[in-house]
Amino acid sequence: MRSPTSLDCPMKLLENRVAIVTGAASPRGIGLATARLLVEHGARVAIIDLRAEDAEAAARELGSHHMGYGCDVGDRAAANCTVERVLRDFGQVDSLLNFAGISRSTKVMDIAAEEYDAVMRINLGGTMNMCQAVIPPMRAAKRGNIVCIGSVAALRGGGLFGSSHYAASKGGVHSLAKALARELGPDGIRVNAIAPGMIDTDIFQGKLTDEKRAEILATIPLGRLGQPRDVAELALFLISDWSSWITGTIVDVNGGGHIH
Ligand SMILES: NC(=O)c1ccc[n+]([C@@H]2O[C@H](COP(=O)([O-])OP(=O)(O)OC[C@H]3O[C@@H](n4cnc5c(N)ncnc54)[C@H](O)[C@@H]3O)[C@@H](O)[C@H]2O)c1
């Protein structure tokens, strides 16, 4: 008879891990798809989104070991306070996945100061705030990993919908991830970013018409739009030990729509 092996009794990839996923209450969004996949692989998940009710409902859908928190990630004090609550509730934070974000497609001369500030405050500032909030506990544990969400918009000079301020905010996220990877590597903390192409979610607020969809499809060698799960699978890899020597990268997930 064979002795038991890891094949007989597989340890889940994220067993005993706690992950914070921001922007994960949107039912068709990248954050919730990722949270679901992390749970499938054994993680306990803290969902952060703007409205506590939405975050709590999303966490309930995942099961009883998960929790939701209302927090505007653009508010530094709120981000700190929320991470403290997560630490009290779960006792540890192993991974942070910064998915909260907004997209706007305003032409440059029409971008009002308020809209510019909101895009920067949430996309770049929110990522920074959340990173700053988790770094002390990760440093204390001498381990941790962070995934930030950038965009193909930062690589190709604007997105299919997101315009200049959105692209700039995501370019900032890419740079932030690289700089934090360098600074935090000696603490055992890895930081990477994902640059998705067009992912079929509700972020485009009805702008993805059938005509636009066909136009975009014609530019994607793999012949389909991205699905939230495409990003989730990459995020799972980047927070798992399968990527333990990977840090400071910006990884494309775009069906070949942007090859550089
Ligand atoms: N969908 C795409 O094609 C695409 C491409 C590249 C990058 N992205 C990025 O991926 C991330 C997720 O996008 P999605 O398509 O799933 O969008 P989505 O609109 O479905 O989800 C975004 C979530 O972020 C939350 N959020 C917004 N502002 C917040 C704040 N201040 N604090 C906390 N939560 C906040 C929203 O409530 C929502 O639940 C975004 O950062 C987006 O810029 C998306």
Side-chain angles (χ1 to χ4, degrees):
M1 202 173 84
R2 265 182 329 128
S3 58
T5 67
S6 59
L7 286 176
D8 298 315
C9 181
M11 166 101 171
K12 288 191 171 178
L13 203 53
L14 301 179
E15 197 96 17
N16 303 323
R17 303 282 176 94
V18 173
I20 293 178
V21 190
T22 75
S26 178
R28 288 187 351 102
I30 294 168
L32 185 54
T34 302
R36 282 193 193 109
L37 188 64
L38 304 193
V39 169
E40 276 174 38
H41 287 270
R44 284 181 297 148
V45 170
I47 285 185
I48 291 180
D49 211 296
L50 273 178
R51 286 163 34 101
E53 312 86 276
D54 296 343
E56 287 161 7
R60 263 197 308 279
E61 186 220 294
L62 298 176
S64 56
H65 301 302
H66 316 286
M67 294 189 69
Y69 304 83
C71 168
D72 174 355
V73 296
D75 176 338
R76 183 177 297 200
N80 283 333
C81 174
T82 305
V83 170
E84 276 167 24
R85 288 177 60 201
V86 172
L87 282 166
R88 274 201 302 276
D89 293 339
F90 290 88
Q92 66 193 79
V93 174
D94 302 285
S95 303
L96 165 66
L97 297 100
N98 282 306
F99 289 163
I102 58 170
S103 172
R104 296 288 180 271
S105 51
T106 318
K107 296 283 180 214
V108 62
M109 293 310 294
D110 297 327
I111 297 171
E114 295 74 23
E115 184 178 301
Y116 175 84
D117 288 347
V119 168
M120 287 295 171
R121 191 181 73 86
I122 296 169
N123 293 356
L124 183 54
T127 301
M128 179 59 128
N129 291 340
M130 288 302 301
C131 288
Q132 286 185 318
V134 300
I135 288 167
M138 286 185 180
R139 273 195 165 136
K142 295 190 169 41
R143 63 192 290 272
N145 52 61
I146 297 173
V147 170
C148 302
I149 197 134
S151 173
V152 70
L155 304 173
R156 63 182 288 278
L160 297 157
F161 293 104
S163 52
S164 54
H165 50 349
Y166 177 78
S169 73
K170 293 300 187 177
V173 169
H174 291 183
S175 295
L176 180 66
K178 288 183 185 185
L180 290 185
R182 191 178 294 283
E183 188 174 338
L184 301 177
D187 296 303
I189 302 170
R190 297 187 297 110
V191 187
N192 291 290
I194 295 176
M198 176 82 205
I199 310 295
D200 194 2
T201 71
D202 293 329
I203 201 169
F204 308 110
Q205 301 164 318
K207 294 191 196 86
L208 187 58
T209 58
D210 288 347
E211 197 184 6
K212 190 76 186 170
R213 183 182 285 264
E215 198 183 296
I216 294 166
L217 271 178
T219 68
I220 301 178
L222 289 182
R224 65 170 176 83
L225 292 191
Q227 294 300 318
R229 179 93 180 188
D230 295 311
V231 180
E233 288 168 354
L234 177 55
L236 168 66
F237 170 72
L238 287 174
I239 69 160
S240 77
D241 291 344
W242 289 103
S243 60
S244 61
W245 209 48
I246 298 179
T247 196
T249 57
I250 312 298
V251 189
D252 290 331
V253 50
N254 62 28
H258 180 69
I259 298 176
H260 54 107

